[in-house]
Amino acid sequence: MSALLVLYLLVFPGVLFLLGFAFFAEWYDRKLTARMQNRMGPPLVQPFADFVKLLSKEDIVPDGVPARLYAAIPLFAFAAIATAFLYMPILGTASPFGFGGDLILVLYLMTLPTILVFLLGWTSNNLFARLGSVRSVSQLFVYEVPFFLAALGPALMVESWAVGDIVAAQEDGWWAILIQPLGFIALIVALQAKLERVPFDIPEAETEIVAGPLTELTGKKLAVWNLMKDMLLATGAALAVALFLGGPTLPGVTFGGIEGAFIAFFVFLGKVLLVLLLLALLKAALGRLRIDQLMDWGWKVLTPLALIQIGIVLVLKVVRVL
Amino acid sequence: MLKRLATWARKKSPWILLFNSGACNACDIEVLSLITPRFDVERLGVLAKGTPRHADILIVTGPVTLKQMERLQRIYDQMPEPKYVVAMGACGALGGIFKGLYHVVGGVDKVIPVDVWVGGCPPRPDEIIDGVVKVLQLMDDDAKHGGKGWRQKPQEVAA
Amino acid sequence: MPEVEIPIGPQHPALKEPVNFKVIVDGERIVRLDLDISYNHRGIEKAAETRDFHKALYLVERICGICSHAHTTTFAKGVEALMGIEPPKRAQWLRTLVAELERIHSHLLWLGVAAHEIGYNTLFMYAWRDRETVQDILETISGNRVNYGMNAIGGVRRNISDSMRIAILGGLRVLSERAAYYTQVIREEETLLVRTRGVGRLPTERAVALGAVGPVARGSDVSFDVRRDDPYLAYDEVPFDVITSTANDVFGRVEVRAKELVQSVQMAIHIVENLPEGPTMAKAPRTAPVGEYVSRLEAPRGELLYYLRTKNTDKVDRVGIRTPTLANWPSVVEAIQGHVIADIPVVVAAIDPCLSCTSRMTFVDTDGGPKGSLSWDDLVAYGQKYYREKEGLP
Amino acid sequence: MTDEDVLAKIKASVLGLTEEPKLARPRRITARTTPDKVLTVLSGLKDAGCRHLSAISSVDLGDAFEVIYHVSVGGVLVSLRTSLPKATPLVPTATGVFPVAVLYEREAHDLMGIEFEGHPDPRPLLLYEGWPEGQYPLRKDWKPPTGGEKHA
């Protein structure tokens, strides 16, 4: 049994698959955005080529920067996201590592990169990086709260903190998105902000402060950081699918054994592509917000949206409908 | 094997950085129209990057004015190896129509080593893409000869 | 409050050209802007004195790639006035046609770059895709996408055949739909409005006092357009009206440029449809008599002024060039006061700076307060406090 | 405002002109004054309606310098000319009357060496930091030290 577990950990839905899945997610996102902008877009192999090229580039550490810490930060972020992905149900309604409170763990692990971006920007001894890191932390407050609240909805509905139970409850076709559409919208928008993509890419606002915290990052560190970003995109989409779209299950379709896992995987993949399409649409259709506009918008629209959703779920719970 | 993979990756994702060292911005708008729908270099893997740290190819437009001289030098030093420089248009080569003016130094190669010159005033976007492709071929040759040392200096070629 | 000085440029992704902003900020709020633009000063005025008229024409064309035709037309028009010759009617109309096509090309370019500055890349891609249509038209006429080389002393070097006329009219019809689409986009697109409305305020009397020109002045309700007030070429025979907006801010400038885009397309169609027949070149003498002349023209960015002085030789004795962006810089410094850093690219892009044109000019706010630098602990403390107050307020 | 109205208005209300303003070409009026009366003439022109300072040109006539203020109302452009002695090219700054003049004066100072008395910020404008002091490239007698090639 443990050999299968190690195989699960390292090869299939584990690290190796996650790398491929992350590159695919980035290619899919860039290709969609390019097609929406009437352009051709990069070839499938592009993210992999970017990654290998960056690995082979010279690794410059600017003076006045703690070299070891600076090199370690991208690896921390990489490890955090890799573990978060393990708890995503892909082959069945629950991942073998799932336990009682794994939703909380996943949410915490997905917050870690933003804190590390702040540390990265701060230690890189560059004015733009410092300004970018201050912005990314300021932006952290705006989207973390609605992100947690939106994730709270389905957990409240099923009264359990395990992603596996949430997916199992949705097996009968009653996907959380049907009952909690507001929660889904809040989660998608907060996810876009967490990934710091347009319209929320204020910390790396290319046209304002060069590349924000990433200004001084080069070579291997930049390669790992970009890879971590892609994995965060893939994990975020997988979480959205698990919580709101019933994970790898289809109403009325249940197969055991190998075929079940096989079908479950493709169902999961289809739904993730749908979520990625939504994110790419957001990215192509909107321009960047200003930091103070984001603050007002976050507190006055995003958080209330999630709160209302929680309220509705509570009322439904009391009325015993669920 | 690893070396071939690295060279293949470098050829597949050349990130460019545009630096205007005193040009009349005709070359700049032609380089910019590379990333727009009609020419779209993203399909070749080319991305326009904002910081020298992330860039592989530095595209310099214009004759180097005295004021831009040491800034151009600083930008070039900040770029990680292996780095390449494309000098754009007649100005990048020998100062073009601005040659001999009191505030102009002349060609880009007076300040930093240049790998590829793209002719024209301004060169058409497809000529610029051809310039980038030539840099990619240079990457191949450099990988075979281990670094840039094998190349003849332009003066030697002329002699 | 101690201020932090943030240098943006001269190499910066937002700026396609070298300008260096020393931004004095207070957390995110801009206290003062000190900009230094002379990175691509090449000394063109000195060189023009050593070249005869025809060679100087080529030099003057390369002052700025986007408004090259404006520069050559102003120079040629000035020298012709000094020589006392008048280019034939058809040449005047062709010059006006290329001038309007260049205005379309420049406004579309600006629309894309301004959208890119606020991170709205899709509009950047769309605007530049449509700009290719204008560049195709210019290429059919003059053989080159940028730096067309249309002008010569005494007339125009290229002519339009009937087959070209059909192709041009086809392209212009496509453009008129696109221009109408863009005027609608800038008025309704929420993310654009949020970033342009109320940003970079410039009341009318300040615009006049600060000598603003072109869409920047017209965006603050100053009705001043050289094409109407000081008519030249064929502008007195081509119907057009001067567009102004009373918004007095970045949105006003955006609106003026979008409407001018629509109008330039109509003017170009009008010119191509009733182009007079006749020769396109007039015989020009080798030398120009002693004299002075101030030649003015409405370039895409505003009033371009050439002071020409000749003394009976085939060379210009003195040429003083004042470009539109040079006159618009004080308006930027005034309009940016009190905004956040995120607004710098938007406000700067709103005057559509053409730095190769300017290639001169530094301006420092005259009430210069003490400059200090902030250690990063203060910066962190200040940044957080700034936002807590901000959040605390609403 | 046609050319004649502007001309008439200037003749009537602007004082300090040393010469009779005349209509040199359509919509171009030329006038002349002495350096010390420049400010009075400029504010007179401004009150007469010419509120837009288009440009300030500086010319090296060989034996003297000439500073020309181009002020315009609508289409009509008034070129006010003052000549300055070669040795001491000094004229009061016009930033009081036209704030935008600070730019044009700095350009004239940088390239032609004309001093503007009371200028708020006489830092170098166009030339790079390492430019040798006292070298004014646009003067007729100025030759680039090394033939315009490498300078640094």
Side-chain angles (χ1 to χ4, degrees), chain A residues 90-92 248 250 253-267:
Chain A
I90 296 172
L91 296 181
L250 269 182
V253 171
T254 50
F255 281 96
I258 299 304
E259 304 85 13
F262 203 71
I263 292 168
F265 173 67
F266 277 105
V267 165

Side-chain angles (χ1 to χ4, degrees), chain A residues 121-135:
Chain A
W122 206 255
T123 53
S124 67
N125 196 359
N126 168 315
L127 200 64
F128 294 129
R130 224 166 284 128
L131 198 59
S133 48
V134 167
R135 280 183 174 183

Side-chain angles (χ1 to χ4, degrees), chain C residues 7 22 49 58 97 152 177 183 190 228 237 251 268 292 323:
Chain C
K22 290 190 188 58
E49 287 161 13
Y58 279 95
L97 172 66
E177 291 145 28
T183 22
E190 198 43 43
R228 180 202 59 190
E237 291 149 67
F251 180 73
E292 274 177 334
T323 52

